Amino acid sequence: MNRVRKISALSFIMAIGLCATTIFAQDTAKTNAASESKIRNIDGVAAVVNTGFVTRKEIDDRIAALKKQGVKLPEDGSARKVILDRLILEKIQLQNAEQEGVSVTNKELDRIIGDIAAKNKLTVAEFKAKVIASGSTFERYKQLLRDDVMITRYREREVETKLKISDAEIDNFIAERTRAMTSGGAPRSAPVAKGEPEEIDVAQIFIPVDAGAGAGAQADAKKKADALLRDARGDVDFLQLGAMAAKENPKIKFQDLGYRTPDRLPQLFYEAIRNTGGGQVANTVVKSPAGYHVLKVLDRRAAGASAPAQQAVAPDAGSTTPQNIPITQTLSRHILLRNRPGLSDQDAERRLQGYRDQVRAKTADFAELAKKYSEDGSAPNGGDLGWMSPGDLVPEFEQAMNRLQIGEVSNPVKSEFGWHLIQVMDRREGQLTVEKQRQFARAAIRERKFDQAYQEWMRELRDNATVKILNVDDEASSPSR
């Protein structure tokens, strides 16, 4: 039964392929000023990257695609420089991938396209027609998709496969979360005496936003941060809340900074949590040049002290007592209208609002409506999704579900799968098994390590590449193709 799961890594590649808009044309970079001028004026080159280049039209195409997706861009022109930087990094990765022998065969590409078409409930012929109708050629689409897959494979080989996560790291992560979830928000260490040096364990959920982003992007990031702060004040696990937010938007990061003396914390952070007790969140969102930060003080202790031995020890593998964590499980059902050609967001939302009104007025039964109209594998069962634990569902769905009382029906909810109407049927106390804890811990640690390793890898790629910026501010003079 389809359980509205998060898309797989392959689906992520497919999604990128659907919206890719850059062309990685190869050419030999000219090194003298006259040649550069010729390239700039005739071909509209924005930057020379090793033996290739990025054109102004590629920047224009990427901006047009982002606007089509509803992304708000700053009006001061700074978006062009940001997008150029991204295109340069993509170009470098593609060049290196080709040099390292990373490739995608025609057979593999055809299989991926077939999967994309099937996911959209289309035949390959219908999908091809849809691509052409969007204003592109199918050959160009295939080349863009091939490039995206090559870059993803190269990144996985160079970064993801080299990440090592030890059992000890997983045990420590689980021990920290167990203390946080079972302490009821109380401080984990003895109070620090007045005037005594202390160490503070702070966790953060970080919503990045470019310093040059427009007012709209800033407002959206602040709104998201405020919503996370409100959620963090409730009876939730802070790091799990961060993990859910990161699933919704991979740019969002969550991190336990560990025990630090005040001088080792960012000054903005320390000022925000100076008077915040262990187990409590900061009163307000912190704004930094990099974005917005939601902070929680996990613990405060005397400098140099250790957490109580019985707390710091990970669950004993030989113990006969299960080290499960109590959680709340939800039994819910839904009606799903999938994303598909011919069904706009407005139409889907309007249809679901009609179903909602019928259920609320008791003129229709939710299960019967789900059987008749839901476009999900759960439809034959009246939309029943079974008992779900935290993290089992995509964030948009789970957050809306968690706000409902038993028997209540939601407003229409948008996720990557389409539009949902949700009804909560029951709740119960369950157990987060040790196996589930270890799966979550490994994923969270990997996310934390990957971000750092990926950023270092990208800096190394850029430092080792030969890049010359020519002209980025001007738009391409040739019409969009």
Side-chain angles (χ1 to χ4, degrees), residues 157-227:
R157 192 184 75 176
E158 295 298 312
V159 182
E160 296 183 23
T161 59
K162 296 178 182 179
L163 295 179
K164 304 299 181 184
I165 302 172
S166 68
D167 288 340
E169 288 178 292
I170 293 175
D171 291 339
N172 289 335
F173 185 94
I174 292 174
E176 291 292 327
R177 292 186 69 248
T178 301
R179 286 196 296 272
M181 295 181 72
T182 59
S183 64
R188 296 174 292 175
S189 302
V192 179
K194 186 175 182 179
E196 183 181 9
E198 69 170 343
E199 293 176 330
I200 310 171
D201 186 4
V202 179
Q204 71 157 330
I205 302 174
F206 170 51
I207 301 88
V209 59
D210 293 331
Q218 293 281 351
D220 289 344
K222 178 64 162 56
K223 182 179 179 181
K224 179 62 178 177
D226 287 337

Side-chain angles (χ1 to χ4, degrees), residues 4 57 103 106 113 116 125 137 152 171 214 254 272 322 362 365 414:
V4 202
K57 185 179 184 305
S103 64
N106 291 333
I113 291 174
I116 295 173
T137 68
T152 300
D171 291 339
F254 62 99
K362 298 183 179 180
D365 178 72
K414 182 72 161 55

Side-chain angles (χ1 to χ4, degrees), residues 34-183:
S35 297
E36 288 177 358
S37 177
K38 183 178 180 180
I39 293 174
R40 180 170 62 249
N41 294 331
I42 297 178
D43 296 330
V45 172
V48 178
V49 184
N50 292 325
T51 58
F53 54 80
V54 175
T55 67
R56 298 201 309 273
K57 185 179 184 305
E58 290 180 88
I59 302 174
D60 296 341
D61 287 346
R62 183 65 61 89
I63 289 175
L66 291 173
K67 288 181 177 178
K68 189 174 181 180
Q69 296 166 28
V71 177
K72 296 179 181 178
L73 300 176
E75 299 178 358
D76 58 3
S78 60
R80 296 187 66 82
K81 292 182 173 61
V82 173
I83 290 172
L84 174 62
D85 287 339
R86 293 175 183 173
L87 289 170
I88 288 172
L89 288 172
E90 290 173 5
K91 172 74 72 176
I92 295 170
Q93 290 177 78
L94 185 65
Q95 291 172 341
N96 288 6
E98 291 173 340
Q99 292 173 5
E100 295 293 329
V102 179
S103 64
V104 181
T105 66
N106 291 333
K107 185 176 181 180
E108 288 176 313
L109 193 63
D110 289 341
R111 177 179 55 78
I112 293 172
I113 291 174
D115 290 340
I116 295 173
K119 185 176 183 295
N120 287 273
K121 294 186 175 182
L122 300 171
T123 66
V124 173
E126 290 171 336
F127 181 72
K128 180 177 179 179
K130 181 181 177 183
V131 170
I132 295 173
S134 71
S136 176
T137 68
F138 196 61
E139 288 305 313
R140 175 172 172 168
Y141 170 81
K142 289 177 66 175
Q143 183 58 53
L144 296 175
L145 180 59
R146 188 191 300 273
D147 292 344
D148 286 328
V149 176
M150 284 181 60
I151 289 174
T152 300
R153 290 181 176 179
Y154 179 56
R155 183 190 65 213
E156 289 175 348
R157 192 184 75 176
E158 295 298 312
V159 182
E160 296 183 23
T161 59
K162 296 178 182 179
L163 295 179
K164 304 299 181 184
I165 302 172
S166 68
D167 288 340
E169 288 178 292
I170 293 175
D171 291 339
N172 289 335
F173 185 94
I174 292 174
E176 291 292 327
R177 292 186 69 248
T178 301
R179 286 196 296 272
M181 295 181 72
T182 59
S183 64

Side-chain angles (χ1 to χ4, degrees), residues 380-438:
N381 298 321
D384 190 341
L385 295 171
W387 289 100
M388 293 287 106
S389 299
D392 281 347
L393 301 166
V394 291
E396 305 93 334
F397 190 106
E398 184 164 327
Q399 290 166 10
M401 180 185 71
N402 289 342
R403 289 192 290 266
L404 298 174
Q405 301 296 320
I406 294 176
E408 188 178 359
V409 179
S410 72
N411 292 321
V413 177
K414 182 72 161 55
S415 82
E416 65 198 57
F417 296 99
W419 283 88
H420 311 258
L421 196 66
I422 309 167
Q423 184 179 43
V424 170
M425 296 184 287
D426 200 2
R427 285 195 172 94
R428 72 183 183 189
E429 294 305 309
Q431 295 288 327
L432 184 61
T433 65
V434 173
E435 181 182 359
K436 280 283 189 181
Q437 292 178 57
R438 296 187 75 81

Side-chain angles (χ1 to χ4, degrees), residues 270-325:
Y270 181 64
E271 293 300 329
I273 54 90
R274 180 193 295 269
N275 299 315
T276 304
Q280 298 178 347
V281 295
N283 291 330
T284 60
V285 170
V286 174
K287 174 69 170 68
S288 77
Y292 295 88
H293 309 257
V294 181
L295 305 178
K296 180 172 183 177
V297 176
L298 301 180
D299 192 24
R300 305 182 86 113
R301 72 183 186 190
S306 299
Q310 68 271 21
Q311 291 182 333
V313 176
D316 182 1
S319 172
T320 58
T321 304
Q323 300 292 329
N324 294 342
I325 295 177

